[in-house]
Amino acid sequence: VEVCEIVAVRKTEDDDQDAAQTGKHQKKTKQLYPFAFTVSYVRRTQQHQWRCSEVTFHCDNQALCEEWVQVTNEQLSLLTNRPKSLLVYINPFGGKRRGKRIYEQKVAPMFRLAGIATTVIVTERANHAEDHLKTEANLDKYDGVVCVGGDGMFSEVLHGLVARTQNDHGVDQNQPDAELVPCSLRIGIIPAGSTDCICFATVGTNDPVTSALHIVVGDSQPMDVCSVHHNDVFLRYSVSLLGYGFYGDVLSDSERNRWLGPARYDLAGVKTFLSHNYYEGTVSFLPAEDDVGNPRDKLQCRSGNVSEEKEKPDDSSDWNEIHGKFIAINAANMSCACPRSPKGLSPFAHLADGNADLILVRNCSRLDFFKHLLRHTNKDDQFDHSFVEVHRVRKFRFEPERHILVSLEDLSEPATKTGYSTPLGSWSCDGEILPEVAIQVSVQCQLIRLFARGIEEQQQQQCVSDDPCTLSALEPITD
């Protein structure tokens, strides 16, 4: 076991030994080796899940036992990336209202075992966490912020923490080209909501214990964030999916049936698919550099392969423009994988390369669009359709087509009397509807960091560390 994956080490008290001793062999072991210490450590199980396991070591020398405990704790104290104090926000209403119970039963015991101090706030209203982070929270006291809930709760914490960081550094978020300051505090996600897309894409599973252990061992995963503006007004940040057309319509319809819980998304999806709407407009984008790969290169984002983003001056001649009728326009900062779509909307998108994958689905038949959607649930290439194109971009803009409305009686009036129809459709931004349709989007490279390490390959059985160390034996010990 790597030291960086040890959760805690403690001297085993007599009561603990008595509880563990059941057979004759165990009782004999205690008689021969009366002193013991217990090591709690990370154990990997199936499907990227982690569990906290324990092993107790027995010896006949009290001084040796205490030395093992002391030396191991000294090694753990050298791991400065581990949090010692956390600010925790719990959404008691999200998902199936299990957030508070999940934290108290599965997460809090882990934090106590690791000696992490916590300040817990149970939110009482929408945007409670965001508002508290922006104005009231004394962030100097903490090593990280943890949210217990779904993607909506994470979005609150994200907006609050980023806004607070920019305000503290005098950065105006309303300026689309402003150079945003990365957040110094990491964010931990304990999944307990209707949707936990971000947790799934960064850890590989929606399991509260696994997420808690990633926080305990102090993992750190940088992540890109898209800033979304309308003219010179900031709208929202996005870390997973910006969706116009189909996904925007699904979210708009689902909001009318929130009382259905998670089932509302299935109902809204069927209704939106049957409606088969398309929207006309112009998409302009600034392509990614050639050396960052492309959305179909089959290079998956995996633990440890974080790239260094190189700043490149914007050149207006590099912008591409596409006009057309679209069923869907999607921008993915990550794969957007989830249990229903194991590969996600863009399987080879990367978490921290300073780019997003822009997916354009042009107007097509309902059958063709169904085939495209179906490929999100299997291993077929969902981009392998004549009506689908995908681009890796640093920035993009969308301008909807506005059709001029002129009544017959107004034909003789001056042009100033001419009005515009309200554009149909809407943007879904990480589960929230944007108030504007004409938007400009910039990818902010590695603006935040999560208590995560990305999805590990199956053969990765050791911690990802710049300098992993193992504990060398002082003297032989019996297990």
Side-chain angles (χ1 to χ4, degrees):
V1 176
E2 303 280 355
V3 170
C4 47
E5 291 194 351
I6 292 176
V7 175
V9 59
R10 68 188 187 280
K11 184 179 177 182
T12 309
E13 302 298 336
D14 290 340
D15 291 344
D16 296 333
Q17 290 196 62
D18 291 341
Q21 308 297 338
T22 55
K24 292 182 179 179
H25 173 72
Q26 287 83 357
K27 292 180 180 179
K28 183 177 180 181
T29 298
K30 182 182 176 181
Q31 292 173 355
L32 295 175
Y33 305 98
F35 306 101
F37 65 94
T38 299
V39 177
S40 302
Y41 65 96
V42 170
R43 176 174 58 88
R44 289 168 173 77
T45 61
Q46 59 184 358
Q47 301 298 320
H48 305 289
Q49 290 189 356
W50 287 8
R51 289 294 177 263
C52 185
S53 291
E54 291 187 343
V55 59
T56 298
F57 296 88
H58 301 265
C59 61
D60 60 0
N61 186 313
Q62 182 176 3
L64 178 61
C65 179
E66 292 174 350
E67 187 177 3
W68 269 95
V69 174
Q70 177 187 344
V71 170
T72 308
N73 279 321
E74 287 174 355
Q75 291 290 320
L76 293 178
S77 69
L78 298 177
L79 303 176
T80 56
N81 60 321
R82 292 198 172 192
K84 296 179 176 60
S85 180
L86 295 170
L87 176 58
V88 181
Y89 294 99
I90 301 175
N91 178 4
F93 307 109
K96 297 181 180 178
R97 298 176 178 263
R98 299 176 302 159
K100 197 167 182 290
R101 187 171 74 253
I102 286 174
Y103 178 78
E104 292 173 348
Q105 295 181 359
K106 297 185 176 183
V107 179
M110 295 289 177
F111 290 169
R112 285 194 296 269
L113 179 64
I116 299 175
T118 57
T119 300
V120 178
I121 296 176
V122 180
T123 59
E124 300 174 354
R125 55 179 172 80
N127 299 319
H128 184 172
E130 180 178 347
D131 294 341
H132 185 260
L133 279 168
K134 283 181 178 178
T135 57
E136 300 177 42
N138 181 5
L139 299 182
D140 294 334
K141 295 168 49 180
Y142 304 107
D143 302 311
V145 181
V146 175
C147 57
V148 183
D151 290 337
M153 188 62 179
F154 170 78
S155 183
E156 276 196 40
V157 170
L158 164 74
H159 281 81
L161 193 57
V162 172
R164 176 70 173 271
T165 302
Q166 307 320 308
N167 184 61
D168 289 348
H169 289 83
V171 178
D172 184 3
Q173 295 181 96
N174 286 318
Q175 298 301 317
D177 296 324
E179 186 174 342
L180 301 185
V181 178
C183 300
S184 58
L185 295 182
R186 285 167 288 174
I187 302 174
I189 307 173
I190 303 298
S194 300
T195 58
D196 299 293
C197 167
I198 298 161
C199 182
F200 192 91
T202 55
V203 176
T205 182
N206 289 333
D207 175 63
V209 173
T210 302
S211 294
L213 288 170
H214 278 286
I215 296 170
V216 166
V217 301
D219 278 339
S220 183
Q221 170 65 51
M223 180 177 289
D224 298 336
V225 177
C226 281
S227 58
V228 186
H229 292 77
H230 172 71
N231 296 331
D232 287 333
V233 178
F234 169 73
L235 298 180
R236 286 191 71 82
Y237 292 113
S238 170
V239 296
S240 56
L241 176 67
L242 267 168
Y244 178 72
F246 180 77
Y247 289 102
D249 291 351
V250 168
L251 182 62
S252 295
D253 189 82
S254 70
E255 288 299 295
R256 304 186 188 101
N257 300 290
R258 292 191 67 88
W259 59 275
L260 286 173
R264 68 185 184 272
Y265 298 113
D266 296 329
L267 176 61
V270 172
K271 290 172 62 178
T272 304
F273 173 77
L274 294 176
S275 298
H276 199 60
N277 295 325
Y278 68 83
Y279 303 99
E280 190 171 358
T282 301
V283 180
S284 307
F285 61 89
L286 184 64
E289 297 183 48
D290 295 335
D291 60 354
V292 298
N294 66 77
R296 300 181 68 181
D297 58 15
K298 300 190 182 303
L299 297 177
Q300 290 185 306
C301 186
R302 285 295 181 260
S303 176
N305 61 356
V306 177
S307 61
E308 293 292 332
E309 172 68 4
K310 300 176 182 178
E311 291 295 330
K312 179 181 177 182
D314 292 346
D315 186 344
S316 58
S317 62
D318 290 342
W319 282 78
N320 295 349
E321 186 174 290
I322 298 175
H323 180 86
K325 298 174 181 178
F326 304 99
I327 292 179
I329 299 173
N330 302 316
N333 261 23
M334 58 176 65
S335 68
C336 298
C338 65
R340 287 192 175 186
S341 179
K343 292 198 308 174
L345 288 179
S346 188
F348 310 113
H350 291 270
L351 295 171
D353 65 350
N355 301 287
D357 287 352
L358 182 63
I359 306 164
L360 308 178
V361 183
R362 295 180 181 271
N363 188 27
C364 61
S365 69
R366 187 180 282 107
L367 177 60
D368 282 342
F369 187 55
F370 176 75
K371 291 178 180 178
H372 170 66
L373 293 177
L374 189 62
R375 289 191 176 186
H376 291 88
T377 65
N378 56 40
K379 296 183 179 181
D380 294 334
D381 183 359
Q382 60 259 53
F383 304 138
D384 189 21
H385 295 286
S386 60
F387 54 89
V388 178
E389 56 185 287
V390 58
H391 306 272
R392 188 153 288 172
V393 304
R394 287 175 282 159
K395 299 181 178 183
F396 77 92
R397 297 189 291 259
F398 176 70
E399 186 66 38
E401 185 73 16
R402 298 175 184 268
H403 297 285
I404 300 176
L405 296 177
V406 184
S407 61
L408 292 176
E409 57 267 28
D410 288 339
L411 288 177
S412 59
E413 296 295 322
T416 54
K417 293 268 185 159
T418 302
Y420 289 92
S421 65
T422 302
L424 299 175
S426 54
W427 282 94
S428 166
C429 178
D430 291 4
E432 298 291 334
I433 296 295
L434 294 181
E436 303 289 346
V437 176
I439 61 172
Q440 51 198 116
V441 180
S442 298
V443 183
Q444 307 290 335
C445 185
Q446 301 182 15
L447 186 64
I448 61 172
R449 286 181 174 268
L450 302 185
F451 283 107
R453 64 175 58 171
I455 298 176
E456 292 182 313
E457 297 286 4
Q458 292 299 322
Q459 67 268 26
Q460 285 181 284
Q461 294 299 317
Q462 72 285 340
C463 68
V464 178
S465 172
D466 292 334
D467 186 22
C469 52
T470 52
L471 192 63
S472 301
L474 300 172
E475 289 183 19
I477 266 187
T478 180
D479 178 1

PDB file of all heavy atoms in Angstrom, residues 21 27 63 118 133 138 142 180 199 239 256 290 303 321 347-348 359 368 398 416 439 442 457 459:
ATOM      1  N   GLN A  21     -11.322 -10.193  18.175  1.00  0.00           N
ATOM      2  CA  GLN A  21     -10.867 -11.545  18.510  1.00  0.00           C
ATOM      3  C   GLN A  21     -12.078 -12.463  18.696  1.00  0.00           C
ATOM      4  O   GLN A  21     -12.846 -12.304  19.634  1.00  0.00           O
ATOM      5  CB  GLN A  21     -10.047 -11.531  19.805  1.00  0.00           C
ATOM      6  CG  GLN A  21      -8.907 -10.514  19.828  1.00  0.00           C
ATOM      7  CD  GLN A  21      -7.847 -10.799  18.774  1.00  0.00           C
ATOM      8  OE1 GLN A  21      -7.726 -11.915  18.316  1.00  0.00           O
ATOM      9  NE2 GLN A  21      -7.101  -9.778  18.399  1.00  0.00           N
ATOM     10  N   LYS A  27      -7.141 -15.261  19.624  1.00  0.00           N
ATOM     11  CA  LYS A  27      -6.841 -15.075  21.049  1.00  0.00           C
ATOM     12  C   LYS A  27      -5.388 -15.437  21.354  1.00  0.00           C
ATOM     13  O   LYS A  27      -4.719 -14.793  22.156  1.00  0.00           O
ATOM     14  CB  LYS A  27      -7.794 -15.920  21.884  1.00  0.00           C
ATOM     15  CG  LYS A  27      -9.237 -15.430  21.831  1.00  0.00           C
ATOM     16  CD  LYS A  27     -10.158 -16.299  22.674  1.00  0.00           C
ATOM     17  CE  LYS A  27     -11.607 -15.781  22.594  1.00  0.00           C
ATOM     18  NZ  LYS A  27     -12.526 -16.627  23.395  1.00  0.00           N
ATOM     19  N   ALA A  63       7.185  -0.584  22.328  1.00  0.00           N
ATOM     20  CA  ALA A  63       7.951   0.517  21.735  1.00  0.00           C
ATOM     21  C   ALA A  63       7.948   0.425  20.213  1.00  0.00           C
ATOM     22  O   ALA A  63       7.818   1.434  19.507  1.00  0.00           O
ATOM     23  CB  ALA A  63       9.380   0.520  22.271  1.00  0.00           C
ATOM     24  N   THR A 118     -14.469  19.856   9.839  1.00  0.00           N
ATOM     25  CA  THR A 118     -15.479  20.291   8.861  1.00  0.00           C
ATOM     26  C   THR A 118     -16.408  21.339   9.458  1.00  0.00           C
ATOM     27  O   THR A 118     -16.708  21.310  10.652  1.00  0.00           O
ATOM     28  CB  THR A 118     -16.336  19.101   8.381  1.00  0.00           C
ATOM     29  OG1 THR A 118     -16.949  18.473   9.513  1.00  0.00           O
ATOM     30  CG2 THR A 118     -15.495  18.085   7.632  1.00  0.00           C
ATOM     31  N   LEU A 133     -20.852  31.695  -0.373  1.00  0.00           N
ATOM     32  CA  LEU A 133     -19.469  31.713  -0.836  1.00  0.00           C
ATOM     33  C   LEU A 133     -19.061  33.082  -1.358  1.00  0.00           C
ATOM     34  O   LEU A 133     -17.924  33.526  -1.165  1.00  0.00           O
ATOM     35  CB  LEU A 133     -19.273  30.664  -1.936  1.00  0.00           C
ATOM     36  CG  LEU A 133     -19.062  29.224  -1.475  1.00  0.00           C
ATOM     37  CD1 LEU A 133     -19.176  28.260  -2.643  1.00  0.00           C
ATOM     38  CD2 LEU A 133     -17.705  29.070  -0.802  1.00  0.00           C
ATOM     39  N   ASN A 138     -15.566  32.675   5.216  1.00  0.00           N
ATOM     40  CA  ASN A 138     -14.162  33.002   5.471  1.00  0.00           C
ATOM     41  C   ASN A 138     -13.311  31.887   4.880  1.00  0.00           C
ATOM     42  O   ASN A 138     -12.968  30.919   5.549  1.00  0.00           O
ATOM     43  CB  ASN A 138     -13.909  33.143   6.969  1.00  0.00           C
ATOM     44  CG  ASN A 138     -12.472  33.511   7.282  1.00  0.00           C
ATOM     45  OD1 ASN A 138     -11.667  33.752   6.375  1.00  0.00           O
ATOM     46  ND2 ASN A 138     -12.131  33.542   8.554  1.00  0.00           N
ATOM     47  N   TYR A 142     -10.121  27.334   5.216  1.00  0.00           N
ATOM     48  CA  TYR A 142     -10.380  26.017   4.648  1.00  0.00           C
ATOM     49  C   TYR A 142      -9.366  25.637   3.565  1.00  0.00           C
ATOM     50  O   TYR A 142      -8.742  26.497   2.933  1.00  0.00           O
ATOM     51  CB  TYR A 142     -11.795  25.974   4.066  1.00  0.00           C
ATOM     52  CG  TYR A 142     -12.860  26.349   5.074  1.00  0.00           C
ATOM     53  CD1 TYR A 142     -13.513  27.577   5.009  1.00  0.00           C
ATOM     54  CD2 TYR A 142     -13.194  25.474   6.098  1.00  0.00           C
ATOM     55  CE1 TYR A 142     -14.481  27.934   5.946  1.00  0.00           C
ATOM     56  CE2 TYR A 142     -14.162  25.813   7.036  1.00  0.00           C
ATOM     57  CZ  TYR A 142     -14.800  27.046   6.951  1.00  0.00           C
ATOM     58  OH  TYR A 142     -15.750  27.394   7.880  1.00  0.00           O
ATOM     59  N   LEU A 180      -9.423  35.273 -16.381  1.00  0.00           N
ATOM     60  CA  LEU A 180      -9.921  34.886 -15.068  1.00  0.00           C
ATOM     61  C   LEU A 180      -8.823  34.243 -14.224  1.00  0.00           C
ATOM     62  O   LEU A 180      -7.938  33.551 -14.735  1.00  0.00           O
ATOM     63  CB  LEU A 180     -11.102  33.922 -15.204  1.00  0.00           C
ATOM     64  CG  LEU A 180     -12.319  34.452 -15.981  1.00  0.00           C
ATOM     65  CD1 LEU A 180     -13.454  33.433 -15.937  1.00  0.00           C
ATOM     66  CD2 LEU A 180     -12.784  35.787 -15.439  1.00  0.00           C
ATOM     67  N   CYS A 199     -19.409  14.260 -11.478  1.00  0.00           N
ATOM     68  CA  CYS A 199     -18.737  13.276 -10.631  1.00  0.00           C
ATOM     69  C   CYS A 199     -18.394  12.023 -11.441  1.00  0.00           C
ATOM     70  O   CYS A 199     -17.273  11.511 -11.365  1.00  0.00           O
ATOM     71  CB  CYS A 199     -19.626  12.915  -9.442  1.00  0.00           C
ATOM     72  SG  CYS A 199     -18.882  11.739  -8.284  1.00  0.00           S
ATOM     73  N   VAL A 239     -19.373  23.631 -17.049  1.00  0.00           N
ATOM     74  CA  VAL A 239     -18.261  22.683 -16.989  1.00  0.00           C
ATOM     75  C   VAL A 239     -18.573  21.381 -17.717  1.00  0.00           C
ATOM     76  O   VAL A 239     -17.674  20.586 -17.966  1.00  0.00           O
ATOM     77  CB  VAL A 239     -17.858  22.364 -15.531  1.00  0.00           C
ATOM     78  CG1 VAL A 239     -17.335  23.579 -14.834  1.00  0.00           C
ATOM     79  CG2 VAL A 239     -19.015  21.750 -14.773  1.00  0.00           C
ATOM     80  N   ARG A 256     -41.323  22.036 -16.310  1.00  0.00           N
ATOM     81  CA  ARG A 256     -42.763  22.140 -16.052  1.00  0.00           C
ATOM     82  C   ARG A 256     -43.267  20.950 -15.250  1.00  0.00           C
ATOM     83  O   ARG A 256     -44.406  20.954 -14.779  1.00  0.00           O
ATOM     84  CB  ARG A 256     -43.524  22.219 -17.381  1.00  0.00           C
ATOM     85  CG  ARG A 256     -43.073  23.363 -18.295  1.00  0.00           C
ATOM     86  CD  ARG A 256     -43.978  23.470 -19.516  1.00  0.00           C
ATOM     87  NE  ARG A 256     -43.462  24.413 -20.478  1.00  0.00           N
ATOM     88  CZ  ARG A 256     -42.807  24.085 -21.595  1.00  0.00           C
ATOM     89  NH1 ARG A 256     -42.636  22.807 -21.872  1.00  0.00           N
ATOM     90  NH2 ARG A 256     -42.364  25.008 -22.419  1.00  0.00           N
ATOM     91  N   ASP A 290      -3.482  22.649 -33.536  1.00  0.00           N
ATOM     92  CA  ASP A 290      -3.373  21.345 -34.186  1.00  0.00           C
ATOM     93  C   ASP A 290      -2.822  20.261 -33.275  1.00  0.00           C
ATOM     94  O   ASP A 290      -3.094  19.077 -33.474  1.00  0.00           O
ATOM     95  CB  ASP A 290      -2.468  21.457 -35.430  1.00  0.00           C
ATOM     96  CG  ASP A 290      -3.092  22.349 -36.500  1.00  0.00           C
ATOM     97  OD1 ASP A 290      -4.334  22.470 -36.506  1.00  0.00           O
ATOM     98  OD2 ASP A 290      -2.331  22.906 -37.310  1.00  0.00           O
ATOM     99  N   SER A 303      -6.609   9.408 -16.153  1.00  0.00           N
ATOM    100  CA  SER A 303      -5.857   9.923 -15.019  1.00  0.00           C
ATOM    101  C   SER A 303      -4.394  10.130 -15.371  1.00  0.00           C
ATOM    102  O   SER A 303      -3.740   9.260 -15.936  1.00  0.00           O
ATOM    103  CB  SER A 303      -5.965   8.939 -13.848  1.00  0.00           C
ATOM    104  OG  SER A 303      -5.178   9.357 -12.769  1.00  0.00           O
ATOM    105  N   GLU A 321     -16.999  29.978 -39.863  1.00  0.00           N
ATOM    106  CA  GLU A 321     -18.417  30.324 -39.739  1.00  0.00           C
ATOM    107  C   GLU A 321     -19.264  29.309 -40.485  1.00  0.00           C
ATOM    108  O   GLU A 321     -18.968  28.946 -41.622  1.00  0.00           O
ATOM    109  CB  GLU A 321     -18.654  31.733 -40.290  1.00  0.00           C
ATOM    110  CG  GLU A 321     -20.075  32.240 -40.082  1.00  0.00           C
ATOM    111  CD  GLU A 321     -20.233  33.696 -40.517  1.00  0.00           C
ATOM    112  OE1 GLU A 321     -19.681  34.586 -39.840  1.00  0.00           O
ATOM    113  OE2 GLU A 321     -20.897  33.929 -41.554  1.00  0.00           O
ATOM    114  N   PRO A 347     -16.962  11.288 -26.459  1.00  0.00           N
ATOM    115  CA  PRO A 347     -16.159  10.327 -25.697  1.00  0.00           C
ATOM    116  C   PRO A 347     -14.698  10.707 -25.513  1.00  0.00           C
ATOM    117  O   PRO A 347     -14.070  10.291 -24.541  1.00  0.00           O
ATOM    118  CB  PRO A 347     -16.286   9.043 -26.528  1.00  0.00           C
ATOM    119  CG  PRO A 347     -17.558   9.201 -27.296  1.00  0.00           C
ATOM    120  CD  PRO A 347     -17.661  10.663 -27.598  1.00  0.00           C
ATOM    121  N   PHE A 348     -14.150  11.523 -26.424  1.00  0.00           N
ATOM    122  CA  PHE A 348     -12.720  11.813 -26.365  1.00  0.00           C
ATOM    123  C   PHE A 348     -12.432  13.277 -26.019  1.00  0.00           C
ATOM    124  O   PHE A 348     -11.345  13.784 -26.289  1.00  0.00           O
ATOM    125  CB  PHE A 348     -12.069  11.416 -27.690  1.00  0.00           C
ATOM    126  CG  PHE A 348     -12.429  10.020 -28.109  1.00  0.00           C
ATOM    127  CD1 PHE A 348     -13.200   9.783 -29.235  1.00  0.00           C
ATOM    128  CD2 PHE A 348     -12.040   8.937 -27.337  1.00  0.00           C
ATOM    129  CE1 PHE A 348     -13.563   8.497 -29.597  1.00  0.00           C
ATOM    130  CE2 PHE A 348     -12.400   7.641 -27.684  1.00  0.00           C
ATOM    131  CZ  PHE A 348     -13.162   7.417 -28.819  1.00  0.00           C
ATOM    132  N   ILE A 359     -20.407  20.240 -31.184  1.00  0.00           N
ATOM    133  CA  ILE A 359     -21.101  19.217 -31.969  1.00  0.00           C
ATOM    134  C   ILE A 359     -22.312  19.854 -32.645  1.00  0.00           C
ATOM    135  O   ILE A 359     -23.203  20.384 -31.975  1.00  0.00           O
ATOM    136  CB  ILE A 359     -21.563  18.051 -31.072  1.00  0.00           C
ATOM    137  CG1 ILE A 359     -20.378  17.501 -30.269  1.00  0.00           C
ATOM    138  CG2 ILE A 359     -22.201  16.948 -31.909  1.00  0.00           C
ATOM    139  CD1 ILE A 359     -20.783  16.632 -29.092  1.00  0.00           C
ATOM    140  N   ASP A 368     -33.137   9.364 -38.714  1.00  0.00           N
ATOM    141  CA  ASP A 368     -31.694   9.586 -38.666  1.00  0.00           C
ATOM    142  C   ASP A 368     -31.274  10.152 -37.313  1.00  0.00           C
ATOM    143  O   ASP A 368     -30.239   9.765 -36.753  1.00  0.00           O
ATOM    144  CB  ASP A 368     -31.261  10.531 -39.789  1.00  0.00           C
ATOM    145  CG  ASP A 368     -31.178   9.831 -41.141  1.00  0.00           C
ATOM    146  OD1 ASP A 368     -31.116   8.585 -41.145  1.00  0.00           O
ATOM    147  OD2 ASP A 368     -31.186  10.526 -42.175  1.00  0.00           O
ATOM    148  N   PHE A 398     -22.822  32.013 -31.196  1.00  0.00           N
ATOM    149  CA  PHE A 398     -24.020  31.596 -31.911  1.00  0.00           C
ATOM    150  C   PHE A 398     -24.956  32.781 -32.045  1.00  0.00           C
ATOM    151  O   PHE A 398     -25.232  33.493 -31.074  1.00  0.00           O
ATOM    152  CB  PHE A 398     -24.758  30.467 -31.189  1.00  0.00           C
ATOM    153  CG  PHE A 398     -26.051  30.080 -31.862  1.00  0.00           C
ATOM    154  CD1 PHE A 398     -26.042  29.431 -33.085  1.00  0.00           C
ATOM    155  CD2 PHE A 398     -27.280  30.397 -31.292  1.00  0.00           C
ATOM    156  CE1 PHE A 398     -27.233  29.087 -33.715  1.00  0.00           C
ATOM    157  CE2 PHE A 398     -28.475  30.057 -31.921  1.00  0.00           C
ATOM    158  CZ  PHE A 398     -28.448  29.401 -33.137  1.00  0.00           C
ATOM    159  N   THR A 416     -38.026  51.757 -39.492  1.00  0.00           N
ATOM    160  CA  THR A 416     -37.839  51.757 -38.050  1.00  0.00           C
ATOM    161  C   THR A 416     -39.007  51.099 -37.330  1.00  0.00           C
ATOM    162  O   THR A 416     -38.885  50.721 -36.173  1.00  0.00           O
ATOM    163  CB  THR A 416     -37.674  53.187 -37.527  1.00  0.00           C
ATOM    164  OG1 THR A 416     -38.798  53.966 -37.966  1.00  0.00           O
ATOM    165  CG2 THR A 416     -36.397  53.800 -38.045  1.00  0.00           C
ATOM    166  N   ILE A 439     -25.215  33.974 -27.925  1.00  0.00           N
ATOM    167  CA  ILE A 439     -24.203  33.902 -26.876  1.00  0.00           C
ATOM    168  C   ILE A 439     -22.799  33.836 -27.471  1.00  0.00           C
ATOM    169  O   ILE A 439     -22.612  33.501 -28.647  1.00  0.00           O
ATOM    170  CB  ILE A 439     -24.404  32.670 -25.961  1.00  0.00           C
ATOM    171  CG1 ILE A 439     -24.291  31.368 -26.766  1.00  0.00           C
ATOM    172  CG2 ILE A 439     -25.737  32.751 -25.235  1.00  0.00           C
ATOM    173  CD1 ILE A 439     -24.287  30.114 -25.913  1.00  0.00           C
ATOM    174  N   SER A 442     -16.215  31.275 -24.169  1.00  0.00           N
ATOM    175  CA  SER A 442     -14.758  31.128 -24.121  1.00  0.00           C
ATOM    176  C   SER A 442     -14.404  30.032 -23.126  1.00  0.00           C
ATOM    177  O   SER A 442     -14.975  29.968 -22.036  1.00  0.00           O
ATOM    178  CB  SER A 442     -14.084  32.441 -23.683  1.00  0.00           C
ATOM    179  OG  SER A 442     -14.347  33.480 -24.597  1.00  0.00           O
ATOM    180  N   GLU A 457      -7.184   3.990 -15.598  1.00  0.00           N
ATOM    181  CA  GLU A 457      -7.219   2.780 -16.405  1.00  0.00           C
ATOM    182  C   GLU A 457      -7.312   1.588 -15.463  1.00  0.00           C
ATOM    183  O   GLU A 457      -6.913   1.651 -14.307  1.00  0.00           O
ATOM    184  CB  GLU A 457      -5.955   2.679 -17.261  1.00  0.00           C
ATOM    185  CG  GLU A 457      -5.794   3.797 -18.284  1.00  0.00           C
ATOM    186  CD  GLU A 457      -6.733   3.652 -19.467  1.00  0.00           C
ATOM    187  OE1 GLU A 457      -7.564   2.706 -19.450  1.00  0.00           O
ATOM    188  OE2 GLU A 457      -6.651   4.476 -20.385  1.00  0.00           O
ATOM    189  N   GLN A 459      -5.580  -1.005 -15.251  1.00  0.00           N
ATOM    190  CA  GLN A 459      -4.324  -1.521 -14.724  1.00  0.00           C
ATOM    191  C   GLN A 459      -3.666  -0.580 -13.736  1.00  0.00           C
ATOM    192  O   GLN A 459      -2.654  -0.930 -13.130  1.00  0.00           O
ATOM    193  CB  GLN A 459      -3.341  -1.815 -15.871  1.00  0.00           C
ATOM    194  CG  GLN A 459      -2.859  -0.576 -16.625  1.00  0.00           C
ATOM    195  CD  GLN A 459      -3.734  -0.278 -17.834  1.00  0.00           C
ATOM    196  OE1 GLN A 459      -4.897  -0.655 -17.841  1.00  0.00           O
ATOM    197  NE2 GLN A 459      -3.167   0.357 -18.835  1.00  0.00           N
TER     198      GLN A 459
END
